[in-house]
Amino acid sequence: MSEIPLTSSVSKGCFVFKSASKKRKRHVGVGGYLVDDSDENGSDRFRICQKLWETVQTNTEVIQDQLNKKVLDSLAEFIKKHGLGCSSDVWRQRGRETPTAALMLGVNVPDHAMTFRSLCNLLQDSVTPFVVSVHAKECAAVKLLIQKVLEQLMGRGVSVDEEQEDDTALLQRTQCTISALCQWYKTVTKKCTQVFPQRTESLTNSDLPQSLPVVVIFKDFEAFNSQVLQDFILICRWDLCSEMCYSSIKFLPFIFIFGIATSPSAIQHRLPHSVSSLLCIEVFHSLSCTQHLASVFDKLILNSQFPFKLSSRVIQVLVGIFLYHDFSVQNFVKGLQFSMLEHFKSQPLSMLCCQKQEALLSAKTLSKKNVERIRHLPSFMRYVETQEPQEQVRLLTNDEHVKEVCQKLLKNLHKYHKNYYPILQCLHSLTSSLPKFPLGKHIRELHVSCIEKNLWETEEYDSALQLLRILAKDELVVALRKCAEILKSTKILQNVLQQLEDFIGRLEALEGVSSEDSSGNGILSGKMEYQKTDLFQLQKTLLEKESRRTKRMNPFEVLRSQVIEFIDSLVREYLTPAELQPLNEVCYYSSSGVLRQRLNVTPRTSIQAALSHPFYYLQNESLKTDAGTISSAAPDLCIVYKLHLECGRLINLYDWLEAFLTVMSAAEDQDTNSEECGKYDSLKHARFIQAVSEMEFLGFIKSTKQKTDHVARLTWGGC
């Protein structure tokens, strides 16, 4: 077993270790975990990665604010109307109903935190300073709920000791009542109207509010105990309060906001009619998570200005986690950031994954080691094979020539991305409205198909072209105008834009489109319609009519065919797979296996791997052990887990503790006397109890009535 002292533990507490050396450890910055000292370009890669990380964070926040602006502004207007008495009927429900906003956020629960944070900031800045947000896990009882409301409103903590009288900054638990809140609110609301005069400048004298509303936000409404919600709503009702509070509660206008993840019917399921009838409920819908994901795709992934790219398999892993697990855009962005970290850590040439000018400067100063790395790139090797023999020799022997060629290839790679995305958007606008969506309903599906293989070789692409060939004149003109608008906004590919405008002008110049003869519209005509025929004769008739139809094409059909051929040529020229581009490994992260291993693991496999081999996740050299041994430097939970694998169905707690102490004793200094060792016994016992509790929480053991000093080992999948 290892003799390295224990330096980490899952258990919470204060641990003291006798250090063997007095030397102070060198502080390692954030970049130290990503950059090796022997890496000559590590600092540049970390700087570029950090810059791109900040870009992702900024763009994500901007997208979130833009998407939530409409619903948040509607909520603010709702609270202003009911809370400040500005409605036409001056809140006729004030004496009977409590204004309540049901905010439908969707099942993407991890994204709700940012939405509520923006909502709280907006309300506090423009409506009222009295905004409270509560979680269900903090409010198991109505007394705790009232306590949390008072803590956030008064800005003070609550003392656990009800007999403590010396500390006046803390509220006693006995003071956490609505009547106490009323008394505090009456004294504070006068000061708030003076501190925030801008909230009342736009109101007339008749509409001036007597008090500012108190907004209570229930972030996870479905998770709250139904009885706790009912009691709190009833307590906040003036007609059910005591006489002492009756004169005060009318100056305390509550407004509730329910954060709902499922549907508005959740209110009926959680609250009975006698309680829900006391609420004046209005429903607000936020933007769907799929639309949010589409905005993130357009801003971060389908953007030529963002140099970091994802391969088709990596995108499929991230989108699969999004669609089949949590619908969380925040988790999708975290997956993108993790891919970015892995790329800049594992790819030494990622220093070229930056803006065009900076990449060209870095290519000029490539070291000999990096030049060799470029020569070993699969895409560069394929490029060398396509060159003349003399050029191949220069690329394999002359480093300066490789640097020049590298600059040229980087320019071509940036040009490829600049032309790729506008044509991709044009093709998506043409095919997204086709029946059954042969190329996908979302642009991310089309993007994956394009960078994975030759799109024009797929059956889906042929099906899409066949459907485009039967578009009507008006539909085709509208589709081409959308493509022209896309190219105008990008200000590139002007020759393509000019050709599209020429096609649009020629289509509009057609005065009329001659249709087929009415006799050709039916399958059978004339006498044959009433004649008895067999299957062979019917098939022959259809083939004849199809041949006549292909021979006779009116001017619109000829022009439509030219348009489809032009679109097909654009696809073959600009939408080539990314892996065919030389030096694509510099910008594209393609380790989908690592990403799936880290982000989309099965719980059983990941938990067992983490507990049996903590080095697998922590990557700490002190955790490396031989087979059948237990490291004393491992976390307490890992030690207890490995020891429990050696036991039978029933585990003796005393024997388990003795084995744990034996493993832990290896971390102590050999020259430490017995008295000093005894000082840590109680600490080790506490850590053992904590680790056993965590084992029970994970489902590996449970208490048993067979023996009081034993626990039963559970079998989970045969382990």
Side-chain angles (χ1 to χ4, degrees):
M1 291 182 291
S2 176
E3 298 293 335
I4 300 176
L6 182 63
T7 57
S8 64
S9 174
V10 177
S11 307
K12 294 183 179 179
C14 180
F15 306 102
V16 181
F17 301 98
K18 184 177 179 179
S19 59
S21 177
K22 298 297 183 181
K23 295 182 180 180
R24 182 176 297 178
K25 290 185 177 180
R26 181 173 60 90
H27 176 70
V28 180
V30 179
Y33 296 98
L34 302 176
V35 179
D36 190 3
D37 294 336
S38 60
D39 193 352
E40 54 185 348
N41 298 315
S43 58
D44 294 335
R45 284 154 48 201
F46 173 72
R47 176 182 53 81
I48 297 172
C49 179
Q50 193 174 27
K51 185 177 180 180
L52 293 179
W53 183 288
E54 294 174 355
T55 302
V56 171
Q57 290 288 103
T58 304
N59 291 339
T60 303
E61 294 176 359
V62 171
I63 293 172
Q64 182 80 16
D65 294 339
Q66 292 176 351
L67 296 179
N68 290 334
K69 186 178 185 304
K70 183 177 181 180
V71 64
L72 294 183
D73 291 344
S74 301
L75 277 170
E77 290 297 327
F78 170 80
I79 295 174
K80 286 180 181 179
K81 178 177 66 174
H82 293 290
L84 300 181
C86 299
S87 59
S88 58
D89 54 358
V90 195
W91 189 14
R92 62 181 180 84
Q93 303 95 343
R94 191 184 187 100
R96 303 188 306 274
E97 300 175 349
T98 302
T100 303
L103 180 57
M104 312 306 301
L105 295 173
V107 295
N108 51 328
V109 178
D111 299 340
H112 295 179
M114 184 177 293
T115 303
F116 284 120
R117 185 164 56 249
S118 302
L119 176 60
C120 291
N121 294 335
L122 176 63
L123 296 180
Q124 290 176 347
D125 293 340
S126 60
V127 182
T128 175
F130 308 124
V131 180
V132 180
S133 58
V134 291
H135 280 285
K137 63 181 180 180
E138 301 173 347
C139 307
V142 66
K143 188 173 183 179
L144 295 176
L145 177 55
I146 297 176
Q147 174 183 321
K148 287 295 179 182
V149 172
L150 266 67
E151 282 183 6
Q152 296 188 37
L153 286 177
M154 299 183 181
R156 290 184 285 176
V158 178
S159 174
V160 177
D161 187 4
E162 297 182 358
E163 297 179 357
Q164 181 181 1
E165 298 179 357
D166 298 335
D167 192 358
T168 57
L170 296 177
L171 287 171
Q172 305 300 330
R173 286 184 182 271
T174 54
Q175 298 176 355
C176 294
T177 60
I178 295 295
S179 59
L181 178 61
C182 294
Q183 297 297 330
W184 171 85
Y185 181 81
K186 284 168 50 178
T187 58
V188 174
T189 186
K190 296 180 181 179
K191 299 179 182 179
C192 289
T193 54
Q194 298 174 358
V195 174
F196 302 97
Q198 67 273 14
R199 297 194 182 101
T200 58
E201 287 179 355
S202 60
L203 303 178
T204 61
N205 294 332
S206 60
D207 290 334
L208 283 176
Q210 299 297 326
S211 57
L212 294 172
V214 178
V215 181
V216 182
I217 303 175
F218 299 87
K219 292 185 176 181
D220 44 353
F221 177 79
E222 291 96 336
F224 274 88
N225 184 279
S226 178
Q227 191 61 42
V228 172
L229 289 173
Q230 297 177 36
D231 294 342
F232 182 77
I233 294 173
L234 293 176
I235 289 174
C236 295
R237 294 290 302 149
W238 65 268
D239 52 350
L240 296 178
C241 292
S242 61
E243 184 178 356
M244 178 185 65
C245 190
Y246 174 79
S247 60
S248 304
I249 199 69
K250 57 185 179 182
F251 296 103
L252 192 59
F254 278 103
I255 295 181
F256 300 144
I257 297 179
F258 295 158
I260 302 175
T262 54
S263 64
S265 61
I267 300 178
Q268 301 175 357
H269 297 158
R270 308 297 297 173
L271 301 176
H273 178 72
S274 59
V275 178
S276 60
S277 60
L278 302 176
L279 305 177
C280 178
I281 302 175
E282 186 171 342
V283 180
F284 297 87
H285 292 273
S286 63
L287 203 63
S288 65
C289 53
T290 54
Q291 293 175 314
H292 191 177
L293 180 65
S295 301
V296 172
F297 249 86
D298 293 339
K299 194 71 174 180
L300 296 179
I301 297 180
L302 304 180
N303 186 0
S304 60
Q305 300 301 321
F306 191 71
F308 177 71
K309 308 296 179 183
L310 299 176
S311 67
S312 59
R313 294 187 180 274
V314 172
I315 293 178
Q316 289 174 350
V317 171
L318 293 178
V319 174
I321 295 174
F322 172 84
L323 294 177
Y324 300 109
H325 287 78
D326 52 12
F327 287 99
S328 173
V329 178
Q330 293 298 317
N331 289 347
F332 178 86
V333 173
K334 290 179 182 178
L336 173 62
Q337 292 174 330
F338 178 81
S339 304
M340 193 186 308
L341 290 175
E342 281 291 321
H343 178 71
F344 281 93
K345 185 178 184 297
S346 59
Q347 176 57 265
L349 296 175
S350 58
M351 62 180 181
L352 301 176
C353 181
C354 52
Q355 298 299 329
K356 180 179 178 180
Q357 298 301 326
E358 185 178 357
L360 295 178
L361 292 176
S362 300
K364 290 181 181 179
T365 59
L366 286 173
S367 62
K368 183 176 181 61
K369 189 175 182 180
N370 286 329
V371 171
E372 288 298 324
R373 288 169 175 167
I374 288 179
R375 289 194 177 109
H376 286 82
L377 291 177
S379 63
F380 189 81
M381 295 173 64
R382 291 194 297 267
Y383 172 78
V384 173
E385 293 174 356
T386 59
Q387 304 301 311
E388 298 294 333
Q390 295 180 354
E391 180 67 15
Q392 292 181 3
V393 173
R394 295 185 62 189
L395 290 173
L396 297 177
T397 57
N398 192 339
D399 292 349
E400 294 298 326
H401 183 63
V402 172
K403 294 179 183 179
E404 295 177 358
V405 173
C406 182
Q407 298 177 45
K408 174 185 175 182
L409 295 179
L410 286 175
K411 290 180 180 179
N412 295 337
L413 184 61
H414 284 270
K415 183 179 179 181
Y416 163 77
H417 289 144
K418 187 174 291 187
N419 296 334
Y420 172 86
Y421 295 113
I423 300 300
L424 180 72
Q425 294 175 0
C426 292
L427 181 61
H428 175 67
S429 66
L430 287 170
T431 60
S432 59
S433 58
L434 295 179
K436 297 184 179 181
F437 309 105
L439 295 181
K441 185 177 181 180
H442 304 282
I443 192 172
R444 61 174 181 266
E445 301 170 6
L446 179 60
H447 174 61
V448 169
S449 301
C450 291
I451 63 177
E452 186 178 16
K453 53 190 174 182
N454 291 331
L455 181 65
W456 54 88
E457 296 178 355
T458 61
E459 296 180 359
E460 293 81 6
Y461 180 76
D462 294 337
S463 176
L465 290 187
Q466 291 179 3
L467 293 174
L468 290 176
R469 289 190 177 97
I470 60 175
L471 285 179
K473 173 186 172 182
D474 297 338
E475 296 174 342
L476 185 59
V477 170
V478 171
L480 293 180
R481 283 178 178 173
K482 291 181 180 179
C483 297
E485 292 296 329
I486 294 173
L487 296 179
K488 287 180 181 178
S489 61
T490 57
K491 297 181 180 180
I492 57 175
L493 298 174
Q494 295 300 315
N495 56 336
V496 177
L497 175 61
Q498 184 177 2
Q499 187 71 21
L500 284 178
E501 292 178 345
D502 179 60
F503 279 125
I504 294 174
R506 292 168 60 184
L507 286 171
E508 293 177 343
L510 294 176
E511 296 182 356
V513 179
S514 59
S515 59
E516 298 183 5
D517 295 335
S518 58
S519 60
N521 293 334
I523 296 178
L524 301 174
S525 59
K527 299 180 181 179
M528 191 173 292
E529 185 176 357
Y530 300 99
Q531 292 178 357
K532 200 175 200 179
T533 182
D534 56 2
L535 181 61
F536 175 77
Q537 188 176 2
L538 176 62
Q539 185 178 7
K540 182 179 178 181
T541 305
L542 291 175
L543 290 175
E544 291 177 354
K545 290 186 176 296
E546 183 66 23
S547 61
R548 289 198 302 267
R549 184 181 304 172
T550 55
K551 292 179 181 178
R552 295 180 301 176
M553 295 181 63
N554 56 43
F556 166 69
E557 292 175 342
V558 174
L559 186 57
R560 182 175 58 187
S561 299
Q562 295 177 0
V563 171
I564 302 304
E565 292 176 359
F566 176 70
I567 294 173
D568 183 47
S569 64
L570 293 179
V571 171
R572 296 173 182 270
E573 180 179 359
Y574 295 106
L575 298 185
T576 56
E579 62 179 11
L580 299 181
Q581 303 299 319
L583 302 185
N584 68 85
E585 296 89 348
V586 171
C587 299
Y588 282 83
Y589 176 72
S590 57
S591 301
S592 59
V594 176
L595 193 66
R596 186 181 292 106
Q597 184 181 20
R598 299 296 184 182
L599 301 181
N600 195 23
V601 295
T602 57
R604 171 187 172 182
T605 306
S606 60
I607 291 176
Q608 290 180 349
L611 296 179
S612 302
H613 309 285
F615 173 78
Y616 183 77
Y617 287 101
L618 299 180
Q619 297 294 316
N620 190 342
E621 294 295 331
S622 63
L623 298 178
K624 281 187 175 181
T625 57
D626 298 331
T629 61
I630 302 175
S631 173
S632 59
D636 297 345
L637 182 60
C638 298
I639 297 175
V640 170
Y641 173 78
K642 286 189 174 182
L643 291 174
H644 113 284
L645 294 178
E646 302 174 0
C647 303
R649 188 175 63 87
L650 294 179
I651 305 176
N652 190 313
L653 288 174
Y654 180 78
D655 296 340
W656 201 2
L657 173 61
E658 288 297 324
F660 178 77
L661 294 177
T662 302
V663 175
M664 296 302 299
S665 62
E668 299 177 355
D669 296 336
Q670 296 180 356
D671 57 347
T672 305
N673 54 38
S674 59
E675 294 182 358
E676 293 179 350
C677 292
K679 296 179 181 180
Y680 300 104
D681 287 344
S682 60
L683 177 60
K684 293 176 182 178
H685 291 175
R687 292 166 60 180
F688 173 76
I689 295 173
Q690 176 71 21
V692 171
S693 300
E694 293 171 351
M695 287 280 293
E696 185 176 5
F697 176 77
L698 291 174
F700 290 104
I701 60 174
K702 71 174 182 177
S703 58
T704 177
K705 295 181 180 180
Q706 297 181 9
K707 294 183 179 181
T708 56
D709 58 344
H710 285 63
V711 293
R713 179 182 172 185
L714 300 176
T715 56
W716 186 18
C719 67

